[in-house]
């Protein structure tokens, strides 16, 4: 089976740095994605790591360690608009095609940014 | 607007009725995913297609749920004999093959009375 764990809530002030950790268990692994979702909105894609290491996109960075089954999303220079839920999602292996499979999402981390 | 559309945006139905939702993905995307999301939870995988082939369906999904993607374009998700526990946001997403980015539609909010 699969399982993902991420903290339920993180609170930080504007301008701070926040790290959201995600640990996962899966029978086949192809990559780890991160999504942002504002209240009432749909999830929007932030990043995808298929290989170990750090990927940087503006103020957001994502890291993956496949040997540790662990990744994190780093939010820098926090802004009020970053208040949202953040989800990690593991991509598994599709058995019949032996190729990229479905995504399983974590329960999400609510990030609250205060002035 | 991601380019993925879903209809209807809201659906209120009585318990026991059948409902059908539609998703129109980004035209060149070969993969289409259906998820269900309840308050405070992440999107829960339901099923996905590569072109017109349904590659996987959640084992947690009852037989009341069925999805199709004729001709590999739009998709429909049908729920038969709805139950109050089916009340949720139903999200559709599309992607292009190996890429890890999914584009989500705005969702269909289902309320079962």
């Amino acid at each position: 089976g699969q399982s993902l764990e991420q903290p339920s809530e993180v609170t930080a002030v504007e301008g701070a740095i926040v790290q959201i950790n995600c640990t996962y268990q899966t029978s086949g692994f192809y990559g780890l994605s991160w999504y942002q979702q504002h209240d009432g909105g749909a999830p929007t894609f932030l990043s995808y790591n298929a290989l170990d290491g750090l990927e940087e996109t503006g103020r957001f960075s994502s890291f993956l360690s496949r040997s540790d089954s662990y990744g994190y999303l780093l939010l820098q220079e926090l802004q009020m608009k970053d208040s949202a839920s953040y989800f990690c999602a593991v991509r598994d292996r599709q058995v019949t095609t032996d190729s990229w499979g479905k995504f399983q999402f974590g329960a999400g981390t609510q990030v609250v940014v205060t002035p | 607007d991601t380019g993925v559309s879903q209809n209807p945006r809201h659906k209120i139905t009585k318990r026991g009725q059948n409902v059908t939702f539609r998703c129109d993905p980004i035209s060149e995307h070969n993969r289409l995913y259906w998820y269900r999301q309840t308050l405070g939870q992440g999107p829960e995988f339901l099923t996905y297609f590569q072109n017109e082939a349904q590659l996987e369906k959640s084992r947690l999904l009852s037989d009341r749920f069925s999805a199709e993607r004729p001709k590999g374009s739009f998709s429909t998700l049908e729920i038969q004999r709805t139950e109050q526990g089916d009340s949720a946001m139903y999200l559709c997403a599309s992607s292009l093959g190996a890429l890890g980015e999914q584009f989500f539609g705005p969702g269909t909010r289902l309320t079962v009375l």
Side-chain angles (χ1 to χ4, degrees):
Chain A
Q2 291 181 319
S3 69
L4 293 96
E5 288 192 16
Q6 53 180 126
S8 59
E9 185 171 324
V10 173
T11 300
V13 298
E14 270 186 298
I17 298 174
V18 159
Q19 179 172 315
I20 303 170
N21 298 322
C22 175
T23 57
Y24 59 86
Q25 284 185 312
T26 181
S27 54
F29 178 83
Y30 268 95
L32 185 71
S33 296
W34 289 93
Y35 286 80
Q36 178 192 63
Q37 186 176 31
H38 287 99
D39 283 348
T44 56
F45 174 80
L46 294 176
S47 68
Y48 178 68
N49 295 66
L51 302 175
D52 290 351
L54 188 69
E55 296 274 347
E56 297 179 80
T57 310
R59 295 186 297 113
F60 294 175
S61 303
S62 59
F63 172 83
L64 175 66
S65 169
R66 289 176 298 171
S67 60
D68 295 323
S69 299
Y70 163 77
Y72 67 71
L73 179 70
L74 195 69
L75 288 63
Q76 301 180 78
E77 301 171 22
L78 274 178
Q79 301 177 8
M80 296 297 291
K81 67 178 181 180
D82 298 331
S83 291
S85 291
Y86 293 82
F87 299 95
C88 59
V90 164
R91 186 173 213 175
D92 67 8
R93 182 177 65 90
Q94 208 288 317
V95 175
T96 54
T97 62
D98 194 24
S99 181
W100 312 280
K102 66 181 182 295
F103 291 88
Q104 290 279 22
F105 282 74
T109 299
Q110 179 78 37
V111 172
V112 178
V113 182
T114 61
Chain B
D1 183 358
T2 61
V4 179
S5 61
Q6 292 186 245
N7 288 287
R9 295 290 305 276
H10 303 273
K11 179 70 178 178
I12 300 174
T13 191
K14 293 182 179 179
R15 189 174 50 190
Q17 298 294 304
N18 299 344
V19 294
T20 300
F21 309 141
R22 176 177 170 126
C23 171
D24 287 88
I26 294 171
S27 58
E28 62 267 27
H29 284 184
N30 58 348
R31 290 207 167 186
L32 187 149
Y33 303 80
W34 284 101
Y35 297 90
R36 175 172 63 188
Q37 188 176 29
T38 53
L39 196 63
Q41 297 298 312
E44 175 194 2
F45 169 77
L46 296 180
T47 188
Y48 82 102
F49 295 83
Q50 177 161 294
N51 301 313
E52 64 274 10
Q54 187 174 21
L55 293 188
E56 193 167 342
K57 182 176 176 180
S58 170
R59 283 171 287 181
L60 300 177
L61 211 58
S62 83
D63 292 342
R64 298 184 296 106
F65 287 71
S66 62
E68 293 183 337
R69 193 185 182 195
K71 303 177 184 178
S73 55
F74 71 92
S75 176
T76 58
L77 177 69
E78 181 183 18
I79 308 174
Q80 296 183 325
R81 305 181 302 282
T82 52
E83 301 172 358
Q84 287 186 323
D86 297 332
S87 295
M89 178 71 83
Y90 289 82
L91 294 165
C92 170
S94 70
S95 72
L96 192 58
L99 298 182
E101 180 173 7
Q102 294 178 87
F103 295 81
F104 280 83
T108 295
R109 180 166 295 284
L110 173 66
T111 302
V112 182
L113 302 176

